[in-house]
Amino acid sequence: MPPETAIDGSDLKLEYSRFVGRKLLFLLALVVATVVLAGVSATLGSADLTVAEAYSAVLARFFPNHFHSTWFTETIIWNLRLHRILMALVSGFGLAIAGTIMQGILKNPLASPFTLGIASAAGFGASLAIILGAGFAGGEYLIVGNAFVFALLASIAVYGLSKYRGISSATMILAGIAIMYLFSALTSFLQYVGESDQVHEVVFWMMGSLGRSSWEKVGLVAAVIALSAPYLLLRSWDINAMGAGDEAAKSLGVNVERTRVTSMMLASLITASVICFTGTIGFIGLVAPHITRMVVGGDHRFLLPASGVVGALLLLGADTAARTVFAPVILPVGIMTSFLGVPFFVYLFLKRRKEYW
Amino acid sequence: MVKITIKDLSFSYGSRKILEDLNIVVGDSEVLSLVGPNGSGKTTLIKCIDRILKPKGSILLNGGRDLQSLSRQEVAKYIGYVPQSATGVLTTTVFDTILMGRKPHMGWRVGDDDIDRVVDVMKLLHIEEFALKDFAELSGGQKQRVLIARALCQEPEVLLLDEPTSSLDLKHQLKALETIRSLVKRTKISAVMAIHDLNLAARYSDTLVMLKDGMVHSIGEPVELLTVENIRTIYGVEAVVMRELDRPYVVPIGSLNGCKACE
């Protein structure tokens, strides 16, 4: 069917391209803010470094003829701080895009790895390893392996349960809540029978921490995100269409069931790969998408990457505060994400000029 | 030319039959309205044609390919669907909502052609002034026009409309149906709409299909079908049928007591 009328819509097109441009500008500003915060974060700690020293130590590895650094500074940056900073960035990014996908696919503002039982199952897996010493892997990967496997088992169980009654957003959320309560009860049982030092370790694990990071772990989490995120980004239009309802999405050519299952599985995989190393950091996956949605709207082509960077920024900011505010005491990052993020979220929520959900 | 041939189409929810052995032909440039009481299967038939539901039987496009053998994306290139109301959560702008109609034709990247098409359709339906407003902020009538625009953006050969006038005021009811009819006549697409208002159906349709209990009761031109007898049988309503502007005009008088259809 040809266009009906030859209308000069240049004003409208210009207005729309400016509208898109503003979103891209916001994304760019977020990336710049993240790079700056990473630089500042690298200077903070018991050894005082300047931002220039921190960046020089990083760049000296890649361009030794142009940048110079001392052995001491390089050791502090590369062996202690940089992998922790990058772990905060990739974990925050991963948790935020997983939350964005879950909220978008399930059309529910409360959807997150917590509501779907994934974090709860990971917590049970870790508890099993800590209290009973039982698990799917050995050595240093006992806790990590258990948390990962149980997180994935939870998402498979959610899928299986909801498939039984037809995969809709409502059935997935209900199945997720059932799984969450099941694993919470199992974890409580283990805590009840565990020794006090074991229970203490479980509680500490569940508060979330980036203190266990290493280059190897950063690499693993980054690899999972690098493999999953492009697919999710490619599905942006499908997820946008599903926001208009399943029937509308089907009539626009979207394979709703397949998109829902594959996207949810990948979001679960990302979540599992993050929280098995960091413990349960709940706030980022729930709130980073909301904060971003208030600014860029519901178009997942922009929402997904922007939300990821907001998550990275939030988690890095929270971790930086967690290890510096009460230094030398380092707080679990899970506590600090809520302390910093909740007031910011409430401020944005109260100041919002229009409904965003 | 025949646009769509519905052959022996049946649909059930479990053991409950909703549609039974429907045979309907929709021609090129034809506006066909499905009329009948609540529960007669109008909306279900619309959803079956768009493959939102999977019926038994076949739906042939242009006398050839069965829509049921095509992928969902292929179907979306031929069929545009305008739901009765916007359900779900929409946090996108009007422009982006209409742009979604280009989904069957475009990849991830939005091309200039896609943007041009959106602009053309917005101008056509006079909705360009709220292009960058959030869809959720619109009135019911404005939303309806945006949903029609989204379907037109698909460049469909067949437009399916489920109660397209249900949330429109009198002026916009007429405007929407005038637009649809004029589009159909100028561009050789066809429209199938489920509609309750018999007078609007009579005025803007070439053909009426009267459905009763999931079966076709009668098919024909409005002037043939809108008779006192048919209205009594289908709706259980006593009515007077007059003629205005060369079209039949139904004035309901009262429901018939004791008839099954009135309950």
Side-chain angles (χ1 to χ4, degrees), chain A residues 1-5 7 9 12-13 16 19 233 237-238 241 243-244 247 250-252 254 298 301 354 356, chain B residues 47 50 72 76 87 89 91 93 95-96 100 103 106 108 110 116-117 119-120 123-124 131 154-155 186-187:
Chain A
M1 193 178 69
E4 280 309 294
T5 44
I7 302 159
L12 199 52
K13 284 167 69 174
Y16 184 70
F19 172 73
L233 198 58
W237 277 114
D238 292 1
E247 287 185 358
K250 283 179 185 177
S251 76
L252 291 169
V254 178
R301 289 178 301 155
K354 57 186 181 181
Y356 72 96
Chain B
K47 288 179 182 175
D50 199 26
R72 195 163 284 293
T87 54
V89 186
T91 51
T93 60
F95 199 105
D96 286 327
M100 264 187 243
K103 190 175 174 309
M106 67 182 184
W108 189 83
V110 178
D116 288 342
R117 180 71 195 160
V119 171
D120 285 344
K123 294 262 182 191
L124 179 72
Q154 289 173 242
E155 299 181 68
R186 279 188 287 158
T187 59

Side-chain angles (χ1 to χ4, degrees), chain A residues 48-124:
Chain A
D48 270 344
L49 301 175
T50 64
V51 175
E53 283 173 330
Y55 275 114
S56 292
V58 173
L59 293 168
R61 281 276 172 106
F62 301 105
F63 310 104
N65 296 330
H66 298 88
F67 295 92
H68 301 285
S69 181
T70 63
W71 173 85
F72 175 73
T73 309
E74 271 206 37
T75 305
I76 295 286
I77 293 295
W78 281 92
N79 292 357
L80 293 175
R81 293 186 189 166
L82 196 54
H83 62 73
R84 184 176 178 131
I85 288 169
L86 290 176
M87 191 68 177
L89 294 178
V90 294
S91 300
F93 188 92
L95 291 171
I97 60 170
T100 308
I101 290 294
M102 288 174 181
Q103 289 172 9
I105 291 283
L106 300 177
K107 289 172 276 181
N108 189 309
L110 293 175
S112 80
F114 272 83
T115 22
L116 289 171
I118 297 167
S120 168
F124 171 72

Side-chain angles (χ1 to χ4, degrees), chain A residues 150-176:
Chain A
F150 275 95
L152 284 188
L153 282 178
S155 55
I156 291 167
V158 168
Y159 169 69
L161 280 174
S162 49
K163 190 170 174 57
Y164 183 70
R165 291 292 302 174
I167 297 172
S168 68
S169 40
T171 54
M172 287 190 104
I173 288 171
L174 289 173

